[in-house]
Amino acid sequence: MSYLTICPNKIIFIMRMIKYLKVIIALFFFESLFISFVFSQDKHGYITKLGTNLFYREVRDANRTVLNMSEIRPVTTGMDGLTVTFYFTANLSKATKPLKLLSFTNSTEDKSYIDFFYDNGTMTVHRKYAPGSEYYYDYHLYDPMFTVDSGAVMWEVHIFFTGYFFWIETRDTRGIANNRWHAPLFIGIDSPPRFSFMNDFLNRSSQAKLIFGDPNPLTTFTMPEEIGIYEFKYSELRSRLNNEFSKDN
């Protein structure tokens, strides 16, 4: 007679993963409802207001830049969100694999817990079960966030983030009007109840870091102009977005 032996640690891990997936499925459900009723049609002329600036740096190429949150100015009491802004120039028609734009980490890049990628005209968010974990899921935005043309084009990207929410805005710098794309994600940088990374960002911990760019891009890729950090309050942002995107288009 043979017996199947399963390590208790593996059983615990599997149970945690099942619980984690249940949370993800619930978030996806509520997100789909919110998007269908509020963001059923993007408004390409809408400019999401930035809050108070906490950090600004002009750069020739920010690719591989590490920004430690201890470098930013103190966050105003009551603010619970931050916005990271940057530019990138790439020939997207030649991007045959996902192009990494930004990593969130409390250590090194290989220990990141969330990565943002350009991926086939939109974005994919690569979220790990734990920092540096081999277990992860990819959240792929189905709405377009970029236009794919031949030749190198510069794009501006604003990522508003809290522990439980992202709001992404992209801008084609070639245009003057109706040149922005938007998307909400009802996940944030936290992974409750195990990790609360947002507190480290708001408290300017030396462990909280942003790493810009891709170490091995397969196409022309630079991150010129500037990088910045701004603060905001989630309830105010949510109210503005609800008011704006629930209007008749």
Side-chain angles (χ1 to χ4, degrees):
M1 182 180 294
S2 61
Y3 295 91
L4 176 62
T5 302
I6 301 178
C7 174
N9 288 337
K10 288 186 177 180
I11 295 176
I12 294 173
F13 177 77
I14 292 171
M15 292 177 66
R16 287 177 176 174
M17 284 296 292
I18 292 173
K19 183 177 180 180
Y20 186 55
L21 288 173
K22 287 180 179 178
V23 173
I24 293 171
I25 292 170
L27 287 171
F28 286 177
F29 173 73
F30 287 112
E31 178 178 359
S32 63
L33 289 178
F34 187 73
I35 292 173
S36 63
F37 286 109
V38 180
F39 300 102
S40 58
Q41 183 175 340
D42 199 355
K43 292 191 173 183
H44 299 297
Y46 179 71
I47 302 173
T48 310
K49 180 181 177 182
L50 293 171
T52 301
N53 178 259
L54 303 179
F55 177 87
Y56 174 84
R57 180 188 296 169
E58 293 184 357
V59 293
R60 176 173 294 181
D61 186 359
N63 190 19
R64 315 316 306 139
T65 293
V66 178
L67 176 58
N68 193 308
M69 288 300 102
S70 62
E71 299 180 56
I72 74 172
R73 290 194 290 275
V75 179
T76 303
T77 301
M79 297 293 120
D80 55 2
L82 296 173
T83 308
V84 54
T85 65
F86 58 89
Y87 292 78
F88 76 91
T89 298
N91 184 345
L92 298 182
S93 66
K94 300 293 185 180
T96 56
K97 73 164 190 172
L99 185 65
K100 186 188 289 187
L101 302 177
L102 186 70
S103 294
F104 289 76
T105 183
N106 55 6
S107 178
T108 55
E109 188 169 11
D110 62 318
K111 299 295 184 182
S112 66
Y113 45 86
I114 287 186
D115 303 305
F116 278 79
F117 291 86
Y118 163 81
D119 189 359
N120 195 28
T122 187
M123 279 192 180
T124 292
V125 180
H126 185 87
R127 181 169 185 170
K128 299 175 183 176
Y129 180 72
S133 173
E134 62 179 311
Y135 301 101
Y136 65 90
Y137 74 91
D138 281 338
Y139 188 97
H140 184 74
L141 297 179
Y142 289 98
D143 292 328
M145 296 297 290
F146 305 90
T147 56
V148 181
D149 301 310
S150 60
V153 176
M154 185 166 70
W155 288 85
E156 182 180 4
V157 180
H158 294 180
I159 299 176
F160 296 72
F161 64 94
T162 71
Y164 43 83
F165 179 76
F166 287 108
W167 173 253
I168 306 170
E169 180 176 277
T170 62
R171 180 176 74 91
D172 183 345
T173 62
R174 295 172 298 177
I176 298 176
N178 296 320
N179 59 338
R180 296 173 186 264
W181 285 258
H182 308 87
L185 285 84
F186 285 79
I187 59 172
I189 68 171
D190 285 351
S191 184
R194 296 169 298 114
F195 302 105
S196 181
F197 300 114
M198 193 65 201
N199 287 335
D200 289 338
F201 276 81
L202 295 174
N203 294 326
R204 302 161 58 231
S205 168
S206 59
Q207 291 186 323
K209 301 179 181 71
L210 295 172
I211 301 179
F212 295 83
D214 193 316
N216 299 297
L218 295 184
T219 183
T220 302
F221 178 70
T222 58
M223 303 187 78
E225 299 294 328
E226 63 190 50
I227 55 177
I229 299 290
Y230 300 79
E231 64 181 13
F232 70 92
K233 191 171 185 176
Y234 170 74
S235 61
E236 295 176 354
L237 174 65
R238 179 67 181 265
S239 178
R240 290 198 303 270
L241 297 179
N242 281 338
N243 290 337
E244 180 64 30
F245 284 85
S246 61
K247 296 176 183 177
D248 293 335
N249 290 276

